[in-house]
Amino acid sequence: MTSARRQPAGFLPLAREAARAAAAVLLAERPFVLAEGASATKSSATDPVTRADVAAQQVIAELIARARPGDAILGEEGLDRPGDSGWRWIVDPLDGTVNYLYGRDEWAVSIAVEDPDGAVVAGVVLAPALGRTYTAVRGQGSWLDGRRLAVRPATALARAVIGTGFSYDADTRAAQAAVLSRLLPSVADIRRGGSAALDLAAVASGRIDAFYENDLSAWDWAAGALLAAEAGATVSALPGPHGRSGVVCAAPALAGPLSELLSGDPGPLPN
């Protein structure tokens, strides 16, 4: 067993360094992006990418490659670099691009590290405009700027505030709306932040009771799910349309009742 496998905390300083470097790029580029708008779209006409997304990912990849040349890197903006060490970095250089484009502050850099067995062992979610840096190491807790985090105390589903998000695909959003219409009468309220990484961090820090979304990629949830789990949340996969998947994350007392409500999802859309 390697020392890196024994001490996943050793990855955290590099993840933080890379996240800070990306944050500096995003803050510097933001005035130009606000003036120019998106540079392209991805999965749909409402799924934007900006020059800042690409530049921030490049900075992250370069830092990781210099420090750990044998590691694989998976990034949202078309990055899938193979490696031979067994370790993999999962990167979202700008989670919440629409918020970033609209001058809102709920956006973040998300970086996670996956061990050779496929388990996420370290993660950082850095929200520059909010001044928050969330970190977690498997088995060592979840933290916000030096303060250890914990999920909210147990509450009934009827008093819970639940976060969610929506797909960029119109047909998938219609299916998600049907689930939401079933869920909304059973909970206290719903929040839609626009960044899955920050929504999961919100569960970890007790700002909401639970979060679910069924149309995500690994870079959206990898770091945030570790934050939430290390803060005491129950985290599990949530099947989505067309073979995609997401995550449901809740304080333990809510996990069962929320999952039962969500299980009525009609499931994958017809091809």
Side-chain angles (χ1 to χ4, degrees):
M1 182 179 289
T2 66
S3 59
R5 187 191 290 268
R6 288 196 304 268
Q7 299 179 344
F11 287 95
L12 193 58
L14 178 57
R16 291 184 67 132
E17 179 187 1
R20 288 170 178 160
V25 170
L26 294 170
L27 290 170
E29 289 283 345
R30 199 175 193 196
F32 304 102
V33 172
L34 288 172
E36 298 169 1
S39 57
T41 58
K42 294 180 289 186
S43 62
S44 78
T46 59
D47 184 8
V49 61
T50 74
R51 74 186 210 178
D53 296 72
V54 177
Q57 179 170 279
Q58 183 175 352
V59 166
I60 294 169
E62 288 174 352
L63 275 168
I64 294 170
R66 282 199 300 268
R68 295 188 57 85
D71 292 357
I73 309 175
L74 176 68
E76 180 176 15
E77 307 309 329
L79 175 62
D80 192 0
R81 194 190 81 176
D84 56 16
S85 69
W87 295 87
R88 184 171 73 154
W89 297 73
I90 304 173
V91 174
D92 192 336
L94 175 52
D95 188 48
T97 300
V98 173
N99 286 344
Y100 181 86
L101 273 167
Y102 272 71
R104 298 178 62 88
D105 293 337
E106 300 86 355
W107 49 274
V109 182
S110 176
I111 302 176
V113 187
E114 191 177 68
D115 74 9
D117 298 321
V120 175
V121 297
V124 173
V125 175
L126 192 161
L130 298 175
R132 298 175 190 162
T133 302
Y134 299 89
T135 60
V137 173
R138 183 169 294 278
Q140 298 183 29
S142 182
W143 303 80
L144 170 58
D145 299 322
R147 176 173 64 87
R148 188 159 190 165
L149 300 178
V151 297
R152 290 183 67 82
T155 188
L157 188 62
R159 294 192 295 274
V161 175
I162 311 294
T164 192
F166 304 110
S167 173
Y168 290 110
D169 175 75
D171 289 339
T172 304
R173 285 200 305 274
Q176 291 169 333
V179 174
L180 185 61
S181 69
R182 183 174 66 248
L183 179 65
L184 190 54
S186 301
V187 302
D189 210 345
I190 295 290
R191 294 290 182 270
R192 196 282 200 252
S195 163
L198 286 178
D199 286 334
L200 289 161
V203 177
S205 56
R207 289 185 167 92
I208 55 177
D209 295 292
F211 169 76
Y212 77 94
E213 187 171 354
N214 73 339
D215 192 17
L216 297 173
S217 297
W219 47 73
D220 297 308
W221 55 260
L226 180 64
L227 288 171
E230 286 295 318
T234 299
V235 183
S236 57
L238 183 64
H242 300 307
R244 289 175 62 78
S245 65
V247 64
V248 55
C249 168
L254 290 174
L258 178 59
S259 294
E260 287 180 12
L261 271 175
L262 295 176
S263 69
D265 188 330
L269 297 173
N271 292 323

